[in-house]
Amino acid sequence: MSAVIGIYAPSNLTMVGEKVDPRVEKLMGGDLDAAPEQYIDASPITHAGPECPPTLLVHGQKDGLVYAINSEMLRWTLRRHGVPVALLRIPWGHHAFDSLPGGLGTQPRSITSTASSHGACIMSNDFRTRGIEPLVFRHANGWLVRQAVVGDLVSRGHPDAHIRVEASGADGAVIWAAEVEWGPNQERVTEQPALGAALAMLWQEVSGHHWIYDGDMSKRGPALYGPSEWLDRDTLEALERMLTVAADVFGKDWAVLFTYHPVQQPDQRVNSRADRPQRRCGRGGRGATLLDAVRGLFRATAPFFASGT
């Protein structure tokens, strides 16, 4: 197989559309609540990997039977695995738009026929088929992107929205966890080897279970940032210095948490805390930026580090 073309394809059976076809429920042995493992295992996105062929996805943005997020998620997953993939969005297309005579289905036919006859080489002069998305500002580092996402959630009616990262001691290493919460929604990842890895995995969980933005969510995803682009240099150096001291002084009995909540008081937006769980003691700090919070916490914990207690 040299290429694949998927037209309004259900790639994630756990979030297909407004209503699951009874035939699907019969095939799966029950509804999603009764047989979640079957739905996950039967989802194409579960099996997407680097061995997949080049893929063209076509999806109507008004599809209520198979939500367009299915193609967005599959595209993001394939790109993460390095697979050549393109997504053609039909702005006002519903499910089965290609079966409507004279309708929007006339737009992608020339593209899909060209792709199938030329090994999925996508060629088209019909620019009307290209969905136009707002430009996404590329922040200087990945942490600022996560702050921007939380800020968007607050502006959309979730004043409690926040993101938290946590570093803790392990056997000769530092492990990271990250979580984001807004309203009734929460996603969390643990046991990550670096802050960037934790934030990247957290975004994968968020984009896999929630639809925050219209258009291409991958433009706000971790693929835009390399391993050294998750923090600015000054913040990274201050954070590494603090974590190194904590590990040297306390071994495995320590944890450092940073929480970003875009409150009105700028100097209180990043809260920090250092804990020693076994001794049930800790110190806190805050600042306008992550760097300010790290420095403030370092000053607050200096007596801890000096005494080793």
Side-chain angles (χ1 to χ4, degrees):
M1 182 182 298
S2 60
V4 168
I5 299 176
I7 303 179
Y8 44 80
S11 65
N12 187 342
L13 296 183
T14 67
M15 50 190 316
V16 175
E18 297 175 358
K19 185 178 180 180
V20 177
D21 192 309
R23 293 171 294 182
V24 175
E25 292 185 348
K26 183 177 180 180
L27 181 63
M28 294 293 105
D31 61 18
L32 180 58
D33 292 334
E37 293 83 4
Q38 287 86 328
Y39 281 79
I40 294 173
D41 187 61
S43 298
I45 198 170
T46 302
H47 308 283
E51 71 282 356
C52 291
T55 301
L56 168 64
L57 302 171
V58 184
H59 217 122
Q61 299 301 283
K62 296 296 183 180
D63 195 331
L65 184 62
V66 178
Y67 289 148
I69 189 176
N70 280 262
S71 290
E72 298 281 356
M73 292 172 57
L74 183 57
R75 175 179 180 268
W76 188 88
T77 300
L78 291 172
R79 286 189 63 182
R80 183 165 56 87
H81 288 293
V83 177
V85 57
L87 172 58
L88 175 63
R89 303 175 185 86
I90 309 300
W92 298 101
H94 293 267
H95 194 74
F97 58 81
D98 54 329
S99 65
L100 302 175
L104 292 171
T106 60
Q107 295 184 26
R109 283 178 184 165
S110 62
I111 293 182
T112 54
S113 62
T114 301
S116 61
S117 60
H118 292 83
C121 177
I122 305 171
M123 302 175 63
S124 174
N125 293 323
D126 185 1
F127 293 98
R128 293 172 299 171
T129 63
R130 299 183 181 180
I132 299 176
E133 299 175 7
L135 293 176
V136 177
F137 175 74
R138 189 185 191 279
H139 291 271
N141 58 66
W143 172 252
L144 295 180
V145 175
R146 300 299 167 262
Q147 290 189 170
V149 171
V150 174
D152 286 346
L153 292 171
V154 170
S155 67
R156 296 183 186 197
H158 298 285
D160 62 335
H162 64 269
I163 184 171
R164 178 178 295 117
V165 294
E166 175 183 345
S168 57
D171 293 326
V174 176
I175 57 174
W176 284 89
E179 70 176 39
V180 61
E181 184 174 351
W182 69 103
N185 307 292
Q186 182 185 41
E187 294 294 341
R188 178 176 173 83
V189 296
T190 59
E191 302 293 327
Q192 298 300 311
L195 173 61
L199 292 174
M201 288 299 297
L202 181 64
W203 180 251
Q204 183 175 339
E205 292 297 312
V206 171
S207 61
H209 299 114
H210 309 275
W211 194 238
I212 300 176
Y213 296 108
D214 293 332
D216 186 1
M217 289 181 68
S218 68
K219 290 184 178 180
R220 295 173 172 85
L224 295 176
Y225 297 89
S228 62
E229 295 182 304
W230 286 98
L231 292 174
D232 63 272
R233 185 179 64 180
D234 291 342
T235 303
L236 179 62
E237 290 179 353
L239 182 60
E240 288 183 341
R241 184 162 56 249
M242 180 174 186
L243 299 184
T244 299
V245 173
D248 289 344
V249 175
F250 301 129
K252 296 188 294 183
D253 180 29
W254 63 272
V256 176
L257 300 88
F258 298 96
T259 303
Y260 174 73
H261 181 204
V263 296
Q264 291 184 353
Q265 298 86 348
D267 62 341
Q268 299 181 18
R269 290 179 177 172
V270 183
N271 286 278
S272 56
R273 182 168 181 81
D275 290 322
R276 296 200 64 193
Q278 293 182 12
R279 292 180 176 268
R280 298 182 179 180
C281 58
R283 292 288 189 276
R286 60 183 54 174
T289 66
L290 181 59
L291 176 59
D292 293 335
V294 171
R295 289 173 173 171
L297 185 61
F298 215 159
R299 290 191 294 268
T301 55
F304 270 178
F305 296 145
S307 63
T309 60

